[in-house]
Amino acid sequence: MEKTIIFILFILNFLPFSLKAEEGMWPPVFLSQRIGEMQKMGLKMTAEEIYSINNSSLKDAIVQFGSGCTGVLVSEKGLILTNHHCGFGSIQKQSRMEHDYLTNGFWAGSMEEELPNPGLTVTFLVRMEDVSIKVMEGVTASMTELDRAAVIKKNIEKIEKGASQGAGFEAKVKPFYYGNQYFLCINEVFKDVRLVGAPPSNIGSFGGDTDNWAWPRHTGDFSIFRIYASKDNKPADYSKENVPYKPKKYLSVSMKGVEKGDFTMIFGFPGTTKEYLTSYGVDLIAFKENPVKVSFRQQRLDIMKNAMASDRRTRMQYASKHAGIANGWKKMMGESKGIERLGTVGRKHEEEKGFAEWANADQARAIKYGALFNAAEKTYKRLYPYDLAGIFVTEGFQGIELLKFASGFKDIIKLSSQKDAKESDLVKNAEKLRSATLTFFKDYQQSLDRKVALALLTMISNKMSQEFKPDFFKEIEKKQHGKWAGFVDRLFATSVFADSSKLIQILSEPGAKSLRKLAKDPAYLLIASSAIMMDKTISPVMLECNRTIDSLQRIYIEGLMHYENGRLLYPDANSTMRIACGKVDDYSPEDAVNYRYFTTVAGILQKENPDIYDYVVDPKLKNLILSRDFGEYVDKDGTMHVAFTASNHTTGGNSGSPVLDGNGSLIGLNFDRNWEGTMSDLQYDPDQCRNIILDIRYCLFIIDRFAGAQRLVNEMKLVND
Ligand code: ARG
Ligand code: ASP
């Protein structure tokens, strides 16, 4: 008897793509098919209340924040909440040695004090529409992939042009299921987004990169912005005359707190997932790409960390860069580990065998799908060395700040060599580069970059396949006999790109002659040589292979839909709006270990360590905790909760996403995933994958009790049910 049950469980685990209720990030236009399941899970709203193109609905309170995060409206005056790590770049740009908002926090005392952030946008989804038929117009079965792509591209351009609704709106057609379906998204983009509040880093990034991608977590990862609009409530460039945006919808904030098993719904703009990749694709990412990327990043991070620890200015300049590099580095390690633990490659291989058997049992199917996996295997084999070489360029050469910076001068150098180049074009280009130069040097430490250059060039020299080494690099290599220190010294001593005043001088009087000199600069020569290798040798093969893989994936997914008997599969994330449902849940990462689903402020004091930057506790926060000054934000169990875990399927881009209860009230802000679940972009495991959410009451507590910014809490609508 027991054996039978174990056998059935085993089989269930192996059933192809056996989706669990929590798995998937669903486009809101799929709601009508999903709503029953969601209501069974605990949702108490109708599909129309969540997504409607005629009436205001929940979706009108959700924005894409910048290009990589999500935010949520919480007041009728355009106030938005997102994560601290999403506002990080903006907060850093506003920071100076004399007013370091990143370290010390920032709280605008009134609307007049709210700070504009040039370049920062928030985007609303106005509506989505299935345009697959129009996109496929003229596509025939006998077409080559290239012709097919050309027809589709043209159709998309036509649709986007035709759908354009004027200033402030954008129309974008996006492929779903690797191009089995296409949706048109009409967006409204606001450009005057001001910084309203941010906790100090020792709250907003508490635990830093040490705790990143891990649970238990005690990070107050939020920041506050406000959307400003023209007097008629339309998107407008920054102007003093702009007024707070009046949203169609904003969320109520729940004071109730959560319990294990409670329904959770996440609305947001997840970036990329690859859940339907073949075994060969997963193998490439998890076991070939990730380890190489990790080893390059490890070198940079070690050097940065040392420099940051010994100098406050360096810490301020490199905090954001370090966090970005470390974030990917740690994620990749966790992902590979998770994929190995789940045995995803072997498991997918088995699934593929089943699929191939099914395909080959029918002649028509065999023609369509029979050769899929052989073709995939062959293509990935061809791709691998080129893909690897590409990583040496992007993580290696471009990981050296000086070189990356020099690569930005490609256009002006080209322009300066053209006989008929217009003086005005040169001047315009130089002006742009002048401001890029100032920005670059504001956050640059040459001594640090030198160390990075030495480490990365040595690594490239030792590990990059000879056939892909850029010509200029090989020349130096020959002269240096494997010793790079001398070259690095000379590079930094002679390159104009390492000398801000010389460079600014050239850009201030941008004559073609002085600009042509830049083309012979060693930093430029090196990065340009790697770009040539990339453009001429690496990219063409990568492009060709990836195109083949994309078309194989398209056919595979289409086949899976039939294989799965018409079951609705969720499309991979593609930075469009998605909804993911789950429940508040704990998890057990290993035998005998069980992680509770919420953390409290007690953990902040337990982690406190004045000697470790990531664990310095803000003295004011410590006082509030010790005096239990939690106000009405305390949980009914008497403790102050900080974060909790749930089983929603999320990915990068979901940061700052509102987490809603069954009534659509805000219970938290999503900000991360757990270590054991970092492989969820390739395979979601309902047992281990948890998203990490800031309890909204901790956010309110910090705004109100810590920062004394009651004016912001007063704008929100707090509810108790
Ligand atoms: N891991 C989270 C996400 O992928 C948070 C990243 C920011 N935090 C950090 N310590 N780097 O983006
Ligand atoms: N921290 C991620 C973000 O910034 C979210 C995740 O990957 O889970 O979007």
Side-chain angles (χ1 to χ4, degrees), residues 3 78-79 178 201 273 282 295 337 345 349 377 384 401 469 499 542 550 579 635 708:
K3 262 195 187 149
L79 200 64
Y178 289 89
S201 278
T273 58
V282 174
S295 60
K337 215 170 154 184
V345 174
H349 213 70
E377 185 177 9
Y384 174 51
E401 289 178 85
K469 282 181 181 166
D499 185 335
M542 280 181 74
D550 274 355
I579 299 168
D635 190 80

Side-chain angles (χ1 to χ4, degrees), residues 620 624 629-631 633 700-708 710:
K620 188 164 175 198
L624 289 170
D629 187 357
F630 302 138
Y633 310 111
L700 297 175
F701 157 74
I702 295 292
I703 300 174
D704 180 346
R705 314 305 295 175
F706 176 83
Q710 283 84 8

Side-chain angles (χ1 to χ4, degrees), residues 434-502:
R434 227 178 84 92
S435 90
T437 301
L438 293 174
T439 313
F440 175 75
F441 281 101
K442 174 178 173 282
D443 292 328
Y444 182 64
Q445 284 292 338
Q446 200 184 103
S447 54
L448 183 164
D449 196 29
R450 249 173 207 253
K451 290 189 185 125
V452 170
L454 179 58
L456 298 195
L457 291 173
T458 308
M459 189 152 151
I460 296 169
S461 187
N462 292 338
K463 303 239 168 95
M464 190 175 196
S465 155
Q466 201 63 20
E467 71 176 296
F468 292 115
K469 282 181 181 166
D471 289 343
F472 185 67
F473 182 83
K474 277 198 279 199
E475 260 175 52
I476 310 165
E477 200 169 44
K478 228 194 227 153
K479 281 188 214 149
Q480 300 304 129
H481 305 294
K483 296 206 170 50
W484 285 87
F487 171 75
V488 170
D489 280 347
R490 248 175 299 125
L491 175 71
F492 281 85
T494 57
S495 172
V496 175
F497 296 101
D499 185 335
S500 63
S501 46
K502 250 197 217 156

Side-chain angles (χ1 to χ4, degrees), residues 562-582:
H562 296 296
Y563 184 46
E564 292 269 305
N565 257 335
R567 185 147 58 116
L568 189 63
L569 303 174
Y570 64 90
D572 270 316
N574 60 355
S575 290
T576 58
M577 182 181 271
R578 300 296 174 95
I579 299 168
C581 295

